[in-house]
Amino acid sequence: MNNIWTIAKREYDNYFNSPLAYVVMLAILLPLGIYFTLILLFSSQNALMGGGTAPDTLQINWLFIFLMVFLAPAITMRLISDEARMGTLELMLTAPVKDFEFVAGKWLGAMMFVLTAALVTLIFPIVLNNFVSPGLDWKTVISSYIGLILVASAMLALGVGISAIFSNQFAAFFVTLGLFFFLWFFVNMPAGLIPESSDLLNYLSMSYHFSQNINRGSMTLAGITYYLSLTALGLFIGTTAIEIRRWR
Amino acid sequence: MIKVSGLTKDYGARRAVHNLNFNANKGEIVGFLGPNGAGKTTTMRILTGYMPPSDGEAIVAGYDVVEESLEVRKRVGYLPETVPLYTDMVVFDYLKYMGDLRRLPDVEDRVDEVLDMVGLLDRAQGYIGNLSKGMRQRVGLAQALLHSPEVLILDEPTIGLDPNQVVEVRELIREIGKEKTVLLSTHLLNEAQNLCDRVLIINKGKIVAEDTTENLQARLLGAERVVVKVRGDGDQLADTIKEVKGVRKVETLDDGAVEFEFASGKDLRPEVAKQVIKTGYDLLELRPLGMSLEEIFIELTSNDGKKK
Ligand SMILES: Nc1ncnc2c1ncn2[C@@H]1O[C@H](COP(=O)(O)OP(=O)(O)OP(=O)(O)O)[C@@H](O)[C@H]1O
Ligand SMILES: [Mg+2]
């Protein structure tokens, strides 16, 4: 466990050495900030005219996760592939570190990076709380944030796992992006056409549990299990890919 | 400390290492000599737990490299051939990171200590990416020494170093070799000669000779080769030298110098010198040629061929 933390900490520090990390951070926070401002302006307009509903932060977290479909692959693409390319994987694989610890450390480092962004976005509900009366429904806000962490966890684990398969970070990026597109947009598309299988197809969708349940304040067991399973699957793929590299 | 038996490694259909057997004991520096593609790096990668062998067994520091890989890795210091480093890290931070992964107590003091050992204390706060090749080599070496490992495995440790550093690094290895086990690979015969207690010569994945350096040389150098230079024509000089009894393989080189060979043991240099001067040449140079590893290899493999 110690090693996971050591690796995660280095990876986290390392993010702030690379311009890409700042671009990613900006690509998350800037749209969210603009969107938040628009929500505020729009609902205050409505309020002046004596109508409309009170704004909440659900839209913001939904946008965060939606952006992550595109940005998570960029956050994870080089994590292991680049070590393979540079040869530093040989250092890691001959250090007294278990393959799983190495992969999990990479994942945790990426999680800490995303959590940093998520922490910054806490400004939005806090500001909003002062504008609406009787204040925000904090239970929903917390559920929404837990959902955000769960989805990020699944995405980053899959990204790290795929990064372990490739020695080229762009290959890792596009395969990860492709997988997220599939799980986000396409997997439950036929649900409308084949109603018998719609439950299963919706269960497999990465967006469904978050946008339909968790983000709206209902922490479903199915949703939690789904994201945790994907996290485990990603870490498993990564560990196995490393083991296969050794045997080759 | 290192016990290798029947070690075999296949990369797909290519057999890189074939049924290796050897030992290395505590307090011993063992050299791994061989041409490109002989299987030195492959063997070292197996011994450091980087990859498992296809067949056979290796015990390092008392543990099996496959079954107890983590225990082996705790006790081995390894300098990979390519000297992989995180170029975007500061030297000190990098070594501290590697030390943290090994759970070293007082990591920071230890990092300063090894940096001092490899003469890089003044670059501790610099980025690895800004270091010269030789300096990176030394950072790699510092990393291998960090945890005072029982077994040190160094893949071509002095390649790319300047002559002063070569001397210093060899001194360091020699010092460590007194108490620990060192296995190092090299292409340089003279490095093996003045550093190693024992040499394994490996070719095409097989050990073709194993002995102390002195013995190997005597065995391999059936003949000694000498180059002669005079003021004057090389072809005529060659004829003159051929008159001396016992000289063999007389060849004229492009620059007018002449090379010849005689069976080791009876030094014909005085006779040749006398003959050259008697004929009226001004003798400019008479110099023995050391045999390079490559030449020894050619010797060794062609001799093998004849015997079989
Ligand atoms: N990852 C790999 N995949 C396939 N073949 C490999 C791999 N690594 C090494 N080989 C092959 O195995 C053989 C031994 O290579 P190895 O790197 O062990 O030689 P070496 O003795 O270290 O050579 P050098 O002196 O050039 O460093 C070579 O034929 C090489 O092409
Ligand atoms: Mg090699």
Side-chain angles (χ1 to χ4, degrees):
Chain A
M1 290 304 121
N2 233 327
N3 288 336
I4 296 178
W5 175 243
T6 306
I7 291 167
K9 207 164 47 142
R10 188 196 86 89
E11 215 50 65
Y12 181 74
D13 291 344
N14 209 32
Y15 272 118
F16 297 95
N17 281 336
S18 96
L20 179 71
Y22 291 98
V23 172
V24 167
M25 204 51 110
L26 203 69
I28 297 175
L29 296 178
L30 196 65
L32 292 188
I34 293 171
Y35 192 48
F36 179 69
T37 317
L38 287 178
I39 290 177
L40 275 190
L41 288 177
F42 196 68
S43 32
S44 60
Q45 285 283 318
N46 280 344
L48 280 179
M49 305 199 304
T53 51
D56 54 44
T57 57
L58 301 189
Q59 305 294 327
I60 306 254
N61 278 3
W62 184 86
L63 182 61
F64 191 119
I65 285 300
F66 181 74
L67 291 171
M68 283 288 287
V69 173
F70 304 88
L71 295 175
I75 295 172
T76 56
M77 61 180 181
R78 41 156 285 282
L79 281 178
I80 297 180
S81 64
D82 217 36
E83 296 233 11
R85 185 184 60 81
M86 293 196 307
T88 45
L89 198 57
E90 187 166 0
L91 286 174
M92 288 298 116
L93 300 194
T94 54
V97 176
K98 293 189 186 106
D99 295 353
F100 171 76
E101 292 176 328
F102 176 67
V103 175
K106 293 284 181 178
W107 165 80
L108 185 60
M111 275 306 278
M112 284 154 61
F113 179 74
V114 172
L115 287 180
T116 306
L119 217 60
V120 177
T121 68
L122 279 177
I123 295 174
F124 303 139
I126 290 169
V127 169
L128 201 57
N129 194 39
N130 294 319
F131 280 91
V132 294
S133 66
L136 288 182
D137 172 12
W138 285 100
K139 234 182 78 197
T140 309
V141 173
I142 289 169
S143 170
S144 166
Y145 268 93
I146 291 176
L148 191 150
I149 292 168
L150 283 171
V151 182
S153 162
M155 285 179 168
L156 296 175
L158 289 170
V160 168
I162 291 168
S163 176
I165 298 174
F166 294 97
S167 302
N168 177 322
Q169 52 177 331
F170 299 106
F173 175 82
F174 285 112
V175 171
T176 311
L177 188 66
L179 177 68
F180 290 179
F181 263 56
F182 175 72
L183 287 178
W184 188 271
F185 296 110
F186 297 122
V187 72
N188 62 343
M189 256 190 176
L193 300 174
I194 339 167
E196 309 86 71
S197 61
S198 69
D199 279 353
L200 174 71
L201 292 176
N202 282 333
Y203 182 81
L204 289 177
S205 160
M206 197 146 70
S207 57
Y208 181 83
H209 302 282
F210 180 74
S211 36
Q212 298 305 313
N213 295 317
I214 300 178
N215 196 31
R216 296 179 176 177
S218 84
M219 297 285 303
T220 56
L221 188 63
I224 297 171
T225 323
Y226 173 81
Y227 293 119
L228 289 183
S229 306
L230 278 190
T231 305
L233 177 68
L235 298 181
F236 175 77
I237 291 173
T239 311
T240 309
I242 300 260
E243 247 142 52
I244 290 173
R245 277 182 188 276
R246 284 185 190 273
W247 283 95
R248 256 208 314 247
Chain B
M1 275 289 126
I2 301 179
K3 219 189 281 173
V4 171
S5 48
L7 206 68
T8 299
K9 175 74 192 182
D10 298 322
Y11 291 111
R14 174 186 284 126
R15 177 148 291 187
V17 168
H18 185 80
N19 193 21
L20 284 197
N21 296 291
F22 68 90
N23 289 335
N25 303 316
K26 199 173 146 93
E28 197 174 32
I29 302 178
V30 175
F32 228 171
L33 273 171
N36 294 135
K40 304 181 293 294
T41 300
T42 303
T43 307
M44 291 181 153
R45 283 180 162 175
I46 295 171
L47 296 181
T48 51
Y50 178 63
M51 57 190 185
S54 310
D55 200 8
E57 177 180 78
I59 307 289
V60 175
Y63 295 91
D64 187 291
V65 293
V66 179
E67 303 295 323
E68 299 148 312
S69 172
L70 277 182
E71 295 303 318
V72 171
R73 288 187 249 158
K74 277 180 199 163
R75 292 165 177 80
V76 172
Y78 177 38
L79 173 68
E81 181 175 35
T82 52
V83 198
L85 296 167
Y86 295 104
T87 45
D88 50 5
M89 278 183 102
V90 168
V91 174
F92 185 90
D93 295 348
Y94 164 66
L95 291 172
K96 182 173 178 305
Y97 174 56
M98 296 308 284
D100 283 340
L101 287 179
R102 294 188 175 277
R103 317 264 169 81
L104 297 186
D106 307 319
V107 184
E108 305 195 349
D109 294 343
R110 182 57 191 166
V111 169
D112 282 336
E113 236 171 87
V114 289
L115 279 175
D116 192 27
M117 278 160 109
V118 299
L120 273 183
L121 256 186
D122 56 328
R123 302 302 289 259
Q125 293 308 324
Y127 278 97
I128 293 175
N130 295 340
L131 297 183
S132 73
K133 182 175 184 318
M135 291 175 179
R136 289 185 198 192
Q137 187 83 12
R138 278 139 67 192
V139 175
L141 195 62
Q143 180 273 131
L145 297 174
L146 208 51
H147 50 298
S148 323
E150 288 169 49
V151 176
L152 202 56
I153 295 184
L154 309 172
D155 204 346
E156 303 185 16
T158 58
I159 203 160
L161 296 181
D162 67 53
N164 288 333
Q165 275 302 321
V166 168
V167 172
E168 276 183 36
V169 165
R170 283 183 190 165
E171 196 48 54
L172 190 62
I173 294 173
R174 204 173 285 123
E175 200 54 42
I176 294 162
K178 284 178 186 160
E179 292 157 38
K180 313 283 165 92
T181 310
V182 181
L183 177 66
L184 62 90
S185 74
T186 174
H187 292 123
L188 308 170
L189 185 61
N190 83 340
E191 177 158 291
Q193 209 165 352
N194 71 55
L195 200 54
C196 303
D197 304 308
R198 207 147 49 80
V199 174
L200 308 167
I201 296 190
I202 177 174
N203 190 25
K204 296 192 182 127
K206 293 181 185 174
I207 292 182
V208 290
E210 172 179 0
D211 214 330
T212 60
T213 21
E214 293 78 21
N215 289 351
L216 267 183
Q217 272 210 311
R219 233 170 77 193
L220 294 170
L221 300 178
E224 283 173 48
R225 210 163 167 79
V226 175
V227 63
V228 187
K229 248 189 198 165
V230 299
R231 217 187 295 281
D233 179 58
D235 288 327
Q236 284 174 17
L237 173 67
D239 292 338
T240 311
I241 291 172
K242 277 178 192 157
E243 287 167 23
V244 181
K245 243 178 79 182
V247 303
R248 306 185 304 216
K249 294 191 188 165
V250 183
E251 282 169 34
T252 312
L253 307 182
D254 290 343
D255 64 346
V258 173
E259 271 187 33
F260 66 94
E261 195 176 287
F262 52 83
S264 59
K266 29 187 171 171
D267 195 346
L268 288 181
R269 278 178 296 174
E271 276 73 18
V272 170
K274 268 181 227 155
Q275 183 72 16
V276 169
I277 290 164
K278 216 172 71 189
T279 323
Y281 287 110
D282 294 335
L283 181 59
L284 296 177
E285 193 179 343
L286 181 74
R287 173 169 53 92
L289 288 174
M291 256 186 155
S292 69
L293 176 65
E294 283 70 23
E295 287 170 302
I296 288 181
F297 258 97
I298 293 161
E299 275 305 294
L300 198 74
T301 41
S302 62
N303 280 353
D304 269 8
K306 273 175 215 156
K307 271 177 216 154
K308 272 172 201 165

Short mmCIF file of all heavy atoms in Angstrom, two decimals, chain B residues 138-163:
data_model
loop_
_atom_site.label_atom_id
_atom_site.label_comp_id
_atom_site.label_asym_id
_atom_site.label_seq_id
_atom_site.Cartn_x
_atom_site.Cartn_y
_atom_site.Cartn_z
N ARG B 138 26.09 7.69 -14.33
CA ARG B 138 26.42 7.70 -12.90
C ARG B 138 25.18 7.81 -12.03
O ARG B 138 25.15 7.29 -10.92
CB ARG B 138 27.41 8.83 -12.61
CG ARG B 138 28.83 8.41 -12.93
CD ARG B 138 29.62 9.48 -13.62
NE ARG B 138 29.88 10.62 -12.75
CZ ARG B 138 30.35 11.80 -13.19
NH1 ARG B 138 30.58 11.97 -14.47
NH2 ARG B 138 30.55 12.78 -12.34
N VAL B 139 24.15 8.52 -12.52
CA VAL B 139 22.88 8.55 -11.76
C VAL B 139 22.31 7.13 -11.69
O VAL B 139 21.84 6.68 -10.64
CB VAL B 139 21.85 9.50 -12.42
CG1 VAL B 139 20.52 9.42 -11.70
CG2 VAL B 139 22.36 10.93 -12.40
N GLY B 140 22.39 6.43 -12.82
CA GLY B 140 21.92 5.04 -12.86
C GLY B 140 22.68 4.18 -11.87
O GLY B 140 22.10 3.34 -11.17
N LEU B 141 23.97 4.41 -11.81
CA LEU B 141 24.80 3.65 -10.88
C LEU B 141 24.44 3.99 -9.43
O LEU B 141 24.33 3.11 -8.58
CB LEU B 141 26.28 3.98 -11.15
CG LEU B 141 27.32 3.06 -10.54
CD1 LEU B 141 27.17 1.65 -11.09
CD2 LEU B 141 28.72 3.60 -10.82
N ALA B 142 24.20 5.28 -9.17
CA ALA B 142 23.80 5.70 -7.82
C ALA B 142 22.52 4.99 -7.42
O ALA B 142 22.38 4.53 -6.28
CB ALA B 142 23.61 7.22 -7.79
N GLN B 143 21.59 4.89 -8.37
CA GLN B 143 20.32 4.21 -8.10
C GLN B 143 20.56 2.75 -7.74
O GLN B 143 19.92 2.21 -6.84
CB GLN B 143 19.42 4.36 -9.34
CG GLN B 143 18.05 3.72 -9.23
CD GLN B 143 18.07 2.26 -9.63
OE1 GLN B 143 17.56 1.43 -8.91
NE2 GLN B 143 18.69 1.95 -10.75
N ALA B 144 21.50 2.11 -8.45
CA ALA B 144 21.79 0.70 -8.19
C ALA B 144 22.43 0.50 -6.81
O ALA B 144 22.26 -0.54 -6.18
CB ALA B 144 22.69 0.13 -9.28
N LEU B 145 23.15 1.52 -6.33
CA LEU B 145 23.88 1.40 -5.07
C LEU B 145 23.05 1.81 -3.86
O LEU B 145 23.42 1.54 -2.72
CB LEU B 145 25.13 2.28 -5.11
CG LEU B 145 26.17 1.93 -6.16
CD1 LEU B 145 27.28 2.97 -6.17
CD2 LEU B 145 26.74 0.55 -5.88
N LEU B 146 21.94 2.49 -4.14
CA LEU B 146 21.14 3.17 -3.12
C LEU B 146 20.92 2.34 -1.85
O LEU B 146 21.10 2.83 -0.75
CB LEU B 146 19.80 3.54 -3.75
CG LEU B 146 19.04 4.74 -3.24
CD1 LEU B 146 19.92 5.97 -3.19
CD2 LEU B 146 17.86 5.00 -4.15
N HIS B 147 20.51 1.10 -2.04
CA HIS B 147 20.10 0.30 -0.89
C HIS B 147 21.20 -0.67 -0.46
O HIS B 147 20.89 -1.69 0.16
CB HIS B 147 18.81 -0.44 -1.22
CG HIS B 147 18.86 -1.19 -2.53
ND1 HIS B 147 19.05 -0.56 -3.73
CD2 HIS B 147 18.77 -2.50 -2.81
CE1 HIS B 147 19.07 -1.46 -4.70
NE2 HIS B 147 18.91 -2.65 -4.16
N SER B 148 22.46 -0.36 -0.78
CA SER B 148 23.59 -1.25 -0.48
C SER B 148 23.22 -2.70 -0.75
O SER B 148 23.21 -3.52 0.18
CB SER B 148 24.03 -1.13 0.98
OG SER B 148 23.93 0.18 1.42
N PRO B 149 22.90 -3.03 -1.98
CA PRO B 149 22.40 -4.37 -2.27
C PRO B 149 23.46 -5.44 -2.08
O PRO B 149 24.65 -5.18 -2.21
CB PRO B 149 21.99 -4.28 -3.73
CG PRO B 149 22.87 -3.22 -4.30
CD PRO B 149 23.08 -2.23 -3.20
N GLU B 150 22.99 -6.66 -1.78
CA GLU B 150 23.90 -7.79 -1.64
C GLU B 150 24.49 -8.18 -2.98
O GLU B 150 25.61 -8.67 -3.07
CB GLU B 150 23.15 -9.01 -1.09
CG GLU B 150 22.76 -8.90 0.36
CD GLU B 150 21.78 -10.01 0.72
OE1 GLU B 150 22.05 -11.17 0.39
OE2 GLU B 150 20.74 -9.68 1.32
N VAL B 151 23.67 -8.02 -4.01
CA VAL B 151 24.09 -8.40 -5.36
C VAL B 151 23.94 -7.20 -6.28
O VAL B 151 22.90 -6.54 -6.28
CB VAL B 151 23.23 -9.56 -5.90
CG1 VAL B 151 23.61 -9.89 -7.34
CG2 VAL B 151 23.38 -10.79 -5.01
N LEU B 152 24.99 -6.91 -7.01
CA LEU B 152 24.97 -5.77 -7.91
C LEU B 152 25.09 -6.30 -9.34
O LEU B 152 26.02 -7.04 -9.66
CB LEU B 152 26.16 -4.87 -7.58
CG LEU B 152 26.08 -3.41 -8.00
CD1 LEU B 152 24.85 -2.75 -7.42
CD2 LEU B 152 27.33 -2.69 -7.54
N ILE B 153 24.12 -5.95 -10.17
CA ILE B 153 24.15 -6.41 -11.56
C ILE B 153 24.25 -5.19 -12.46
O ILE B 153 23.36 -4.34 -12.47
CB ILE B 153 22.91 -7.26 -11.87
CG1 ILE B 153 22.97 -8.53 -11.01
CG2 ILE B 153 22.83 -7.61 -13.35
CD1 ILE B 153 21.88 -9.53 -11.25
N LEU B 154 25.35 -5.06 -13.17
CA LEU B 154 25.63 -3.85 -13.94
C LEU B 154 25.81 -4.22 -15.41
O LEU B 154 26.72 -4.96 -15.76
CB LEU B 154 26.90 -3.18 -13.41
CG LEU B 154 26.95 -2.94 -11.90
CD1 LEU B 154 28.33 -2.46 -11.48
CD2 LEU B 154 25.89 -1.93 -11.48
N ASP B 155 24.93 -3.68 -16.24
CA ASP B 155 25.01 -3.99 -17.68
C ASP B 155 25.83 -2.90 -18.36
O ASP B 155 25.34 -1.79 -18.57
CB ASP B 155 23.60 -4.07 -18.26
CG ASP B 155 23.55 -4.92 -19.52
OD1 ASP B 155 24.62 -5.22 -20.08
OD2 ASP B 155 22.43 -5.28 -19.95
N GLU B 156 27.05 -3.19 -18.68
CA GLU B 156 27.99 -2.26 -19.30
C GLU B 156 28.10 -0.95 -18.52
O GLU B 156 27.74 0.12 -19.01
CB GLU B 156 27.58 -2.01 -20.76
CG GLU B 156 27.53 -3.32 -21.53
CD GLU B 156 27.24 -3.14 -23.02
OE1 GLU B 156 27.38 -2.02 -23.51
OE2 GLU B 156 26.90 -4.14 -23.65
N PRO B 157 28.64 -1.04 -17.30
CA PRO B 157 28.63 0.11 -16.40
C PRO B 157 29.54 1.26 -16.81
O PRO B 157 29.29 2.39 -16.42
CB PRO B 157 29.09 -0.48 -15.07
CG PRO B 157 29.85 -1.70 -15.43
CD PRO B 157 29.22 -2.24 -16.66
N THR B 158 30.58 1.01 -17.58
CA THR B 158 31.52 2.11 -17.84
C THR B 158 31.39 2.67 -19.25
O THR B 158 32.15 3.54 -19.65
CB THR B 158 32.98 1.65 -17.64
OG1 THR B 158 33.23 0.54 -18.51
CG2 THR B 158 33.23 1.25 -16.21
N ILE B 159 30.41 2.17 -19.99
CA ILE B 159 30.26 2.65 -21.36
C ILE B 159 29.85 4.13 -21.35
O ILE B 159 29.02 4.54 -20.56
CB ILE B 159 29.24 1.78 -22.12
CG1 ILE B 159 29.48 1.87 -23.61
CG2 ILE B 159 27.83 2.12 -21.79
CD1 ILE B 159 28.88 0.72 -24.37
N GLY B 160 30.50 4.92 -22.17
CA GLY B 160 30.12 6.34 -22.25
C GLY B 160 30.74 7.23 -21.20
O GLY B 160 30.44 8.41 -21.13
N LEU B 161 31.61 6.68 -20.34
CA LEU B 161 32.25 7.51 -19.32
C LEU B 161 33.60 8.01 -19.84
O LEU B 161 34.24 7.36 -20.66
CB LEU B 161 32.49 6.70 -18.05
CG LEU B 161 31.25 6.18 -17.32
CD1 LEU B 161 31.66 5.42 -16.06
CD2 LEU B 161 30.32 7.31 -16.95
N ASP B 162 34.02 9.18 -19.34
CA ASP B 162 35.34 9.65 -19.74
C ASP B 162 36.40 8.86 -18.98
O ASP B 162 36.10 8.22 -17.97
CB ASP B 162 35.46 11.17 -19.53
CG ASP B 162 35.44 11.55 -18.07
OD1 ASP B 162 36.24 11.00 -17.29
OD2 ASP B 162 34.61 12.40 -17.69
N PRO B 163 37.65 8.90 -19.46
CA PRO B 163 38.69 8.03 -18.87
C PRO B 163 38.84 8.19 -17.36
O PRO B 163 38.99 7.19 -16.65
CB PRO B 163 39.96 8.48 -19.59
CG PRO B 163 39.48 9.03 -20.88
CD PRO B 163 38.14 9.63 -20.62
#
